Amino acid sequence: MRMALIEIVGALIKDIAMDEETQVDAHKKENRINALFDLLFERTLDLNSYVRAKVLNTFSRLCDLPVKFPKQRHEITKHVVAMLQDKSSSVRRYAIALLTKLILTHPFGLLHGGPLNLTEWEGRYDAVAKELKEMEKTLGMGEMPDPEGTQAEKEETEKQGEGDEEEESEDDEADEDDADAAEVAEAMEEDEEDEEPAERPQPKKEKTSKKARPSLPVDLANVTDEQVLAAFDAEKHVKLKLIKKYVADALAFIRQVEGASETLSQLLVSTSKAEVLESMEFFKTAHEYEMECAEIGITKMIHLIWTKDNSATSTEDGKELKGIRSKLVEVYRLLYFDPLPDLEPKQQVNRIAKNMIERTYGATLAELTSLEELMRSLMVDGQIHTDVINKLWHVYSVEREIPRCQRRGAIIILGMISLAKPEVVSERLETLLKVGLGRFGKADLVLARYTCIALQRLGGSTKKVKGSLTDKSIRFPMEHPLFRKLQDAIENPSHSMDWFGMAEQAVNTIYLLGEQPDSLCTTLLRNFTVRAFTPKSKTATQDATNGSNAMDEDAKEPEAEDGPRTPPSPGKTEATEQPNEQVDLGDSFNLSQLLFLVGHVAIKHIVYLELVERDLKRRKDEGAKEKQAKNAGKAAIEELDQIVGNAEDDIGDHIADVREREMLYGANSILGTFGPMIVHDPTLRNAATLALSKLMCVSSRFCEENLLLLFKIFETSKDPNIRGNIVIALGDIAVCFNNMIDENSDNLYRGLTDKDLNVKKNTLMVLTHLILNGMIKVKGQLGEMAKCLEDEDPRIADLAKLFFTELSTKDNAIYNNLPDVISHLSVGEHAVDEETFQSTMKYIFTFIEKEKQAESIVEKLCQRFRLTEEPRQWQDIAFCLSLLPFKSERSMKKLIEGLPFYQDKLHNEVVYTRFSEILAKARSNKSTNKPDSELKEFEAILQEHRDKGAEDQALEKTMKKKADQAKKRATRRGARRQRAATPDDEGED
């Protein structure tokens, strides 16, 4: 019924607003429209979500009318922004769609066009206000009333809107102002339809009445020039006032929409597909209208490329919804990669290449990874033209000086595209070696780093199949010029912190593309060892220090004022200039470089050994099959399988022995030389910790010998970078030797309480990976993970929610550990406050969906009552019981059977309230045709024990009070006797 009435109200508003034939007073007409809108605004608070959604649909249809309802638009926008946080998913979806419609149909495009850029509109407001103030000063008008209120109101959108409405109702001059505003707009935009920028919705009739007003005869002969100028100035003054009010209304609308951007960004990761799609459409529209909030949403949106669900679905109202991934690709194509109809082909190519490069500016590692997947998808679908690729190569290889971020962005995009088509890189190999590993690469190590990443695409991007012996990767002989260039890039003297990122990717490239990468890496380690330990004169060391500072300064190339900002490298540590007084910087930095190479070569050599093992198995398998090819009998086939299996076991054992005994403990092992090294310099300490961690992944013996040392460094180090790196390294060690980490998992969980945000985040991500993949067992520490659900930082909380969501898919994982989580958070040194406990448990209990699990939890929680003595524990257990659904009679039966365990706790008001909530929930789930006698009897028993407990508590307090009084009287009597006995004792003396 209410939905039908809302439909009728919307139709009435449309008929009244569009009716120009009926002669109705404009004031009465406006009052009728206002009254009908008030009815709709009231229904935005309706208890039924369908009614609230119907109101939004009605508003959306009204926005399509030629009449813009400027006065009501402010209220509509305010209600829509509030409804973005509605508890109903359908209401939120319609609210997002309506907000998009409000942008598309906004009435502020008459004077300055359609864009809604906040900075530009604020500049217009300041310019108009300044001009108006100067005119008022010239005309000697003094302080004039401000149509939109004070400057403070300008900054606060809602106050400004209220000030506008109050100003309008002050006198009848507002009606004339609205008509004049319409005249100003029409004079500047003749081809526009009849839209009004002011807040009165009837400019036509008011304008007609105003034109009919001048009926008195004017004596033109007696009109002086001063009177003409005065009349012109007065008219201009009125127009300026109206324009100022017009701009202020636009600012109010823009600020309302900008204020909703944070909520809309959160809805991009909603579990509702319709909400996500509508949010994406909103940010696309906001970007087209140049709103400042659009960039945040567009950037965050790119992570949706990993969404698995890409199938089209239908909504309740029959509307077909695209897949989220398809919608994302469509949005990015429309905004950045599709050609515009009014540009020349060359301009089209330049625009698309520029947009691609700008996507990399300021991007984080996660954003670059998502962008890589997007570019790969576009290339697979053939949506990137060859001319665009050629333009990117031109930007990358141009000889003249350009902003470094442009050259970097070009090679980043080219590396992403080559994932789908390796020929993009392989056909320009000489260009990569000349630019990225040549003069430009040596001057810009970040460019060299991304060039190495692009070179890695030469090996192909075929995913390895688990258990398969085939290897389709492409490798080059070590005499290839590529490896000479990589060696030169690594060995090129540098004291920039960017060297570490470049060297990491260079070593990755060597191991990925080289036929014998160990030979080249051995040469690198020997050369860096000589460089690090060769004695240097003070002058040479000073020159090295000065050279490092010069290189750092060169890396910070000044860009043009209007140029884009340089994107920071993901995971890059800012290089700090070292003072020239530290003459030992060169040696310590060289040693840091050496240790970094030692660690990274060790970890990459493990992967290389796995490839060698697979290749040996493949050769053995092929040889054995050829040898037995002539034997076609079944027995021969079985014998062949047995021979191949034994051969594979022998090869695996041999490779494992090489890894365990030879790499670090062999007589000729160059890596083993650096194991016992001790360092003190901060940069050295960081590099040495990384090297130690990577070496521990090689040998279980070496890991066992140094694991406690690594944990000690993790516990005592004051450098958060070191602690964060150790956490990640512990995850790698757990993959290699999970038993060692499983036995010491308590030390790993300590990172969840670290004060540094990055350390905490790294710990949470590592534990998530290890627990979900079964590499470590949960031994009661799940409560520490649960604490992160209520972390102050939203990123930590979101990661924790993701962890528990994935953990719920494992068989009974949350159910089995739930009692330990409750105990961990309720009592002991790890306990949290009551509010945090309740919000955490509310989230975790949403994963208890099976009725049998709920029944078992009821029984376990009831038994816990008898083991507790603190009221806080009673309250926590009762709260957890109240979170269960109690959909079956068996759950209530378990609760009633557990009455002896908690009957003496019912005098606690909070505990009794929780059981009352359980009763109410059980009644709501009970069938109407079944008697309610059992629940009523249980309720009476609860009340009886509550009253009895209250009496017992009162009696206990009374007895305790009397005992205290008796004790005090006994103490006083003893004191009097002692005083009385004292004189007698003195007399006897």
Side-chain angles (χ1 to χ4, degrees), residues 526-537:
R526 286 173 177 165
N527 293 343
F528 270 88
T529 302
V530 172
R531 179 187 297 180
F533 293 102
T534 299
K536 294 185 180 181
S537 64

Side-chain angles (χ1 to χ4, degrees), residues 840-906:
T840 303
M841 289 296 108
K842 276 183 181 178
Y843 182 81
I844 294 179
F845 267 78
T846 57
F847 300 109
I848 305 299
E849 298 175 347
K850 298 179 181 178
E851 192 58 35
K852 289 185 178 180
Q853 292 181 350
E855 295 168 13
S856 178
I857 291 174
V858 170
E859 184 178 5
K860 291 179 180 179
L861 291 178
C862 288
Q863 293 175 357
R864 277 181 174 266
F865 273 110
R866 64 178 179 179
L867 304 175
T868 59
E869 298 179 357
E870 297 294 329
R872 162 69 194 279
Q873 295 176 257
W874 307 342
Q875 296 171 11
D876 289 343
I877 296 174
F879 175 77
C880 293
L881 281 171
S882 68
L883 294 175
L884 295 169
F886 290 95
K887 294 180 180 179
S888 68
E889 294 181 359
R890 292 189 297 272
S891 296
M892 281 304 300
K893 186 177 180 182
K894 294 285 186 182
L895 185 66
I896 295 172
E897 291 175 354
L899 180 65
F901 300 127
Y902 57 81
Q903 62 184 10
D904 58 333
K905 279 82 174 177
L906 291 171

Side-chain angles (χ1 to χ4, degrees), residues 1-71:
M1 176 66 76
R2 296 197 298 275
M3 293 174 65
L5 290 174
I6 289 171
E7 188 80 20
I8 293 171
V9 170
L12 288 173
I13 293 175
K14 177 181 178 181
D15 290 343
I16 295 173
M18 300 296 293
D19 185 14
E20 297 182 359
E21 298 178 358
T22 306
Q23 297 296 326
V24 181
D25 182 65
H27 189 64
K28 292 182 179 179
K29 184 176 180 181
E30 183 182 359
N31 287 340
R32 290 178 185 175
I33 293 177
N34 290 340
L36 293 173
F37 266 107
D38 289 341
L39 289 175
L40 294 180
F41 292 144
E42 289 177 3
R43 288 302 97 199
T44 59
L45 302 176
D46 197 284
L47 295 178
N48 189 284
S49 62
Y50 291 101
V51 177
R52 299 196 299 273
K54 191 66 176 179
V55 174
L56 294 172
N57 279 331
T58 303
F59 283 146
S60 183
R61 287 197 298 272
L62 292 175
C63 288
D64 291 328
L65 298 177
V67 181
K68 297 303 179 183
F69 306 107
K71 183 176 181 180

Side-chain angles (χ1 to χ4, degrees), residues 354-642:
K354 178 175 177 288
N355 287 338
M356 287 182 175
I357 292 173
E358 287 181 349
R359 292 301 90 207
T360 65
Y361 293 173
T364 63
L365 178 59
E367 291 164 359
L368 286 175
T369 305
S370 300
L371 180 62
E372 180 179 79
E373 177 64 16
L374 174 63
M375 301 305 298
R376 188 195 65 80
S377 301
L378 291 174
M379 192 64 191
V380 168
D381 296 339
Q383 298 184 31
I384 301 179
H385 198 272
T386 308
D387 292 342
V388 176
I389 298 176
N390 292 335
K391 183 62 181 179
L392 291 170
W393 278 114
H394 174 73
V395 174
Y396 174 69
S397 59
V398 65
E399 289 294 331
R400 64 184 178 86
E401 291 295 331
I402 60 174
R404 289 187 172 182
C405 56
Q406 293 184 11
R407 204 183 299 269
R408 294 173 185 174
I411 192 57
I412 291 173
I413 297 297
L414 288 169
M416 295 174 177
I417 293 173
S418 59
L419 269 176
K421 187 178 179 183
E423 292 81 7
V424 172
V425 172
S426 61
E427 294 173 356
R428 299 289 191 104
L429 180 58
E430 292 183 4
T431 304
L432 289 172
L433 300 182
K434 178 182 176 183
V435 178
L437 298 181
R439 177 171 62 91
F440 290 104
K442 291 179 180 179
D444 184 3
L445 296 180
V446 178
L447 177 68
R449 176 183 178 221
Y450 287 115
T451 299
C452 292
I453 294 176
L455 285 170
Q456 293 169 23
R457 313 303 186 208
L458 293 171
S461 58
T462 306
K463 292 185 178 180
K464 303 296 187 297
V465 180
K466 187 175 182 180
S468 175
L469 299 179
T470 59
D471 185 7
K472 298 181 180 180
S473 60
I474 301 172
R475 293 184 176 272
F476 299 93
M478 302 311 296
E479 295 79 16
H480 196 281
L482 164 66
F483 300 108
R484 181 60 188 171
K485 282 285 188 179
L486 288 171
Q487 181 179 357
D488 290 343
I490 296 174
E491 293 182 348
N492 184 54
S494 172
H495 289 78
S496 170
M497 296 299 292
D498 291 330
W499 179 90
F500 294 97
M502 182 276 298
E504 177 186 8
Q505 295 302 331
V507 172
N508 291 348
T509 307
I510 293 171
Y511 269 94
L512 187 65
L513 301 179
E515 292 181 350
Q516 295 177 325
D518 52 324
S519 61
L520 177 55
C521 289
T522 300
T523 302
L524 285 172
L525 291 177
R526 286 173 177 165
N527 293 343
F528 270 88
T529 302
V530 172
R531 179 187 297 180
F533 293 102
T534 299
K536 294 185 180 181
S537 64
K538 183 176 181 180
T539 304
T541 308
Q542 186 72 23
D543 292 341
T545 306
N546 293 335
S548 69
N549 291 336
M551 178 165 288
D552 290 341
E553 292 173 2
D554 184 55
K556 300 171 184 176
E557 179 187 74
E559 296 176 358
E561 293 181 1
D562 57 345
R565 56 193 177 97
T566 303
S569 301
K572 169 181 145 183
T573 306
E574 289 292 334
T576 56
E577 294 188 3
Q578 302 292 339
N580 292 340
E581 288 79 3
Q582 297 181 0
V583 295
D584 62 331
L585 176 64
D587 292 340
S588 64
F589 200 87
N590 288 337
L591 188 55
S592 301
Q593 292 174 319
L594 170 62
L595 293 178
F596 175 83
L597 285 177
V598 167
H600 199 59
V601 166
I603 204 73
K604 295 305 295 184
H605 206 72
I606 297 174
V607 180
Y608 179 66
L609 283 177
E610 293 175 357
L611 297 176
V612 171
E613 177 183 355
R614 184 168 59 183
D615 188 58
L616 290 174
K617 289 180 179 179
R618 180 182 57 81
R619 293 180 183 180
K620 281 272 188 180
D621 184 44
E622 292 176 353
K625 286 182 179 179
E626 290 177 1
K627 186 176 182 180
Q628 299 292 335
K630 296 180 181 180
N631 300 327
K634 182 178 179 181
I637 295 175
E638 293 178 355
E639 182 181 357
L640 173 62
D641 292 338
Q642 185 177 3

Side-chain angles (χ1 to χ4, degrees), residues 333 336 421 461 474 489 519 533 764 799 842 934 937 947:
R333 276 183 40 248
Y336 301 115
K421 187 178 179 183
S461 58
I474 301 172
S519 61
F533 293 102
L764 183 56
L799 284 172
K842 276 183 181 178
E934 186 178 0
E937 182 181 353
D947 297 339

Side-chain angles (χ1 to χ4, degrees), residues 120-351:
E120 292 181 1
W121 280 93
E122 286 178 342
R124 290 165 188 160
Y125 179 87
D126 294 337
V128 172
K130 182 179 179 181
E131 185 179 356
L132 182 61
K133 187 175 181 180
E134 291 176 354
M135 175 171 283
E136 290 174 351
K137 190 181 296 183
T138 304
L139 297 176
M141 295 182 179
E143 294 293 332
M144 298 297 291
D146 194 346
E148 64 286 331
T150 63
Q151 181 68 19
E153 288 175 332
K154 174 195 166 186
E155 296 176 356
E156 299 181 11
T157 303
E158 295 181 0
K159 291 183 180 180
Q160 176 195 31
E162 295 171 1
D164 292 342
E165 295 173 9
E166 292 173 3
E167 181 64 28
E168 275 194 293
S169 61
E170 284 185 0
D171 48 39
D172 297 335
E173 187 181 352
D175 296 336
E176 300 177 7
D177 288 352
D178 291 337
D180 292 337
E183 290 179 0
V184 173
E186 290 171 0
M188 301 188 70
E189 291 286 339
E190 295 179 355
D191 297 332
E192 288 287 340
E193 293 182 3
D194 196 9
E195 299 176 350
E196 65 172 54
E199 296 200 28
R200 290 292 182 184
Q202 297 87 9
K204 287 187 176 180
K205 295 185 178 180
E206 293 175 357
K207 185 172 72 173
T208 304
S209 62
K210 185 182 176 186
K211 288 182 177 180
R213 260 186 274 155
S215 58
L216 297 176
V218 179
D219 188 1
L220 297 177
N222 296 326
V223 176
T224 64
D225 293 341
E226 289 79 4
Q227 291 175 329
V228 173
L229 290 174
F232 176 77
D233 290 341
E235 182 180 357
K236 186 177 180 181
H237 177 261
V238 171
K239 289 184 178 180
L240 281 176
K241 285 180 63 178
L242 295 174
I243 293 174
K244 182 181 178 183
K245 185 176 186 303
Y246 171 79
V247 176
D249 291 341
L251 278 174
F253 173 72
I254 295 171
R255 288 196 180 101
Q256 281 181 311
V257 178
E258 293 276 357
S261 61
E262 183 176 353
T263 303
L264 288 162
S265 296
Q266 296 174 359
L267 292 177
L268 280 173
V269 293
S270 171
T271 55
S272 170
K273 181 178 180 179
E275 284 183 65
V276 176
L277 294 176
E278 290 293 352
S279 300
M280 295 168 72
E281 183 66 24
F282 167 82
F283 282 113
K284 178 179 78 73
T285 304
H287 184 275
E288 292 172 346
Y289 281 81
E290 301 179 12
M291 301 193 72
E292 295 177 356
C293 64
E295 191 63 30
I296 300 174
I298 295 294
T299 302
K300 188 174 182 179
M301 186 193 306
I302 197 171
H303 298 308
L304 298 175
I305 192 65
W306 303 106
T307 305
K308 297 179 182 178
D309 179 21
N310 197 35
S311 58
T313 57
S314 298
T315 59
E316 298 175 356
D317 52 4
K319 182 180 178 182
E320 185 176 352
L321 299 177
K322 290 184 177 181
I324 293 177
R325 184 185 174 102
S326 300
K327 179 66 174 179
L328 173 71
V329 174
E330 177 189 334
V331 168
Y332 265 78
R333 276 183 40 248
L334 290 173
L335 294 181
Y336 301 115
F337 308 140
D338 274 359
L340 298 180
D342 55 345
L343 293 180
E344 296 293 329
K346 184 176 180 180
Q347 295 175 327
Q348 299 280 17
V349 171
N350 292 343
R351 170 185 168 272

